[in-house]
Amino acid sequence: MVAQFTDRHLGKRVVDHNGVEVGTVEDVRNGDLYVKVGPDADSETLSELHWDGTVNTEVHRLPDQYVSDITDTTVRITI
């Protein structure tokens, strides 16, 4: 999914393919989503996104290729 994301995506929950919350959209920069990782995010999902390490205090860019669906309240990723 190639998209230009906007501020209307701020605050949406980011969930994996099983519906488990990964974090929330914290920022949109140059049409890209930036996600603040939640404390209960699955470590395998974070590793697949290359977000491992000190993720709970950082905001990470979510590559477009991982976004599979967007609703009014969530961004679903393929991982």
Side-chain angles (χ1 to χ4, degrees):
M1 170 181 230
V2 176
Q4 285 291 314
F5 301 106
T6 66
D7 287 349
R8 73 175 186 268
H9 297 99
L10 290 172
K12 290 186 180 189
R13 294 175 45 236
V14 177
V15 297
D16 68 14
H17 68 281
N18 291 320
V20 176
E21 186 168 332
V22 175
T24 56
V25 177
E26 185 78 14
D27 198 4
V28 178
R29 297 181 216 150
N30 300 319
D32 293 325
L33 296 178
Y34 285 80
V35 177
K36 181 173 184 177
V37 177
D40 298 326
D42 180 68
S43 61
E44 286 183 34
T45 301
L46 299 179
S47 181
E48 287 187 52
L49 289 166
H50 306 287
W51 292 357
D52 19 13
T54 56
V55 295
N56 291 328
T57 59
E58 297 179 29
V59 175
H60 298 274
R61 182 182 167 275
L62 177 61
D64 291 352
Q65 74 254 26
Y66 294 121
V67 177
S68 65
D69 187 42
I70 299 176
T71 70
D72 289 340
T73 58
T74 62
V75 175
R76 185 171 299 273
I77 59 175
T78 58
I79 295 174

